[in-house]
Amino acid sequence: MASRPPRAWQRMLSGRRLDLLDPTPVDIEIEDIAHGLAFVARWNGQTRGDFPYSVAEHSLLVETIFSRMCPKASAADRLTALLHDAPEYVIGDMISPVKAAVGPEYGTLDDRLSAAIHIRFGLPAITSKTLKRRIKRADKVSAWMEATEIAGFAESEADRFFGRPPADMIADLKITLRPPVEVRADFTARHAELLAAS
């Protein structure tokens, strides 16, 4: 008797059935992404505070920083920044050392999901290298802030891993820890604003 292949899909709260190995844009819903990211903890949950610092909160911060670094960026580019970690709504947030241990398969899965998500929201399936590099710069600023404010890094240690951001860029920004339902609502609202402006 032939054995069945392992199940490679996940049922979403929207009712969609997302095939992780062959995701299609029609199975992507922003409510599923926002919900998943609001409940996925950054830093493997090793942060100070009464709530985990979620990938959704991180994504909102990265989009804010990206918009400051690139004030002439289009709404579509800002939406791409907001969605830069969107695949983590189903594959979780792995810290860099774990990604390295898992190997290139993680990157392939992430790329497939990103392409489906981008197509679903009218973005190019593959982000240009230039835009990806700019978003990564904003991501590193966010990581530095998170590391020093809530993840227990000394500033000198964070400087080595992420690079010290310009003080004026982050002077009025603060890491906030909020209930997941609040973060989910803000992520969904920001997505709607950027999508409408794209």
Side-chain angles (χ1 to χ4, degrees), residues 59-70:
S59 298
L60 287 162
L61 181 58
V62 168
E63 191 263 322
T64 297
I65 294 166
F66 171 78
S67 296
R68 288 180 178 196
M69 291 176 135
C70 307

Side-chain angles (χ1 to χ4, degrees), residues 1-9 17:
M1 184 177 220
S3 63
R4 288 182 176 179
R7 178 171 68 90
W9 56 267
R17 194 167 100 163

Side-chain angles (χ1 to χ4, degrees), residues 7-43:
R7 178 171 68 90
W9 56 267
Q10 180 176 349
R11 176 76 62 195
M12 299 287 120
L13 286 178
S14 64
R16 298 285 188 188
R17 194 167 100 163
L18 182 66
D19 185 333
L20 301 181
L21 299 180
D22 188 22
T24 61
V26 296
D27 291 321
I28 307 289
E29 298 292 346
I30 193 57
E31 292 80 10
D32 293 332
I33 293 172
H35 182 84
L37 295 183
F39 283 88
V40 173
R42 294 260 301 161
W43 304 92

Side-chain angles (χ1 to χ4, degrees), residues 3-191:
S3 63
R4 288 182 176 179
R7 178 171 68 90
W9 56 267
Q10 180 176 349
R11 176 76 62 195
M12 299 287 120
L13 286 178
S14 64
R16 298 285 188 188
R17 194 167 100 163
L18 182 66
D19 185 333
L20 301 181
L21 299 180
D22 188 22
T24 61
V26 296
D27 291 321
I28 307 289
E29 298 292 346
I30 193 57
E31 292 80 10
D32 293 332
I33 293 172
H35 182 84
L37 295 183
F39 283 88
V40 173
R42 294 260 301 161
W43 304 92
N44 279 347
Q46 298 301 305
T47 53
R48 299 183 188 104
D50 295 331
F51 295 101
Y53 186 73
S54 72
V55 175
E57 193 80 77
H58 162 79
S59 298
L60 287 162
L61 181 58
V62 168
E63 191 263 322
T64 297
I65 294 166
F66 171 78
S67 296
R68 288 180 178 196
M69 291 176 135
C70 307
K72 295 182 180 177
S74 67
D77 288 350
R78 291 170 195 226
L79 181 58
T80 304
L82 181 70
L83 296 172
H84 78 283
D85 280 338
E88 293 178 9
Y89 86 108
V90 286
I91 59 177
D93 178 42
M94 288 192 199
I95 59 173
S96 297
V98 175
K99 287 179 185 175
V102 170
E105 290 81 10
Y106 178 88
T108 301
L109 183 59
D110 188 271
D111 289 344
R112 279 191 200 130
L113 284 162
S114 285
I117 291 164
H118 286 180
I119 292 168
R120 170 68 176 86
F121 300 116
L123 300 169
I126 298 171
T127 304
S128 74
K129 288 181 182 178
T130 300
L131 179 55
K132 195 177 273 193
R133 191 167 47 249
R134 289 176 179 158
I135 294 170
K136 188 63 181 173
R137 280 181 29 227
D139 192 39
K140 284 190 159 193
V141 172
S142 177
W144 187 92
M145 290 178 63
E146 295 163 27
T148 58
E149 291 186 38
I150 57 172
F153 283 57
E155 287 191 7
S156 58
E157 186 180 20
D159 290 350
R160 282 198 313 276
F161 287 110
F162 310 112
R164 181 175 287 264
D168 59 338
M169 178 176 296
I170 61 170
D172 62 334
L173 296 177
K174 185 99 176 99
I175 298 295
T176 55
L177 300 172
R178 302 183 289 159
V181 292
E182 289 181 19
V183 183
R184 179 181 66 196
D186 283 355
F187 185 95
T188 305
R190 185 60 180 151
H191 176 269

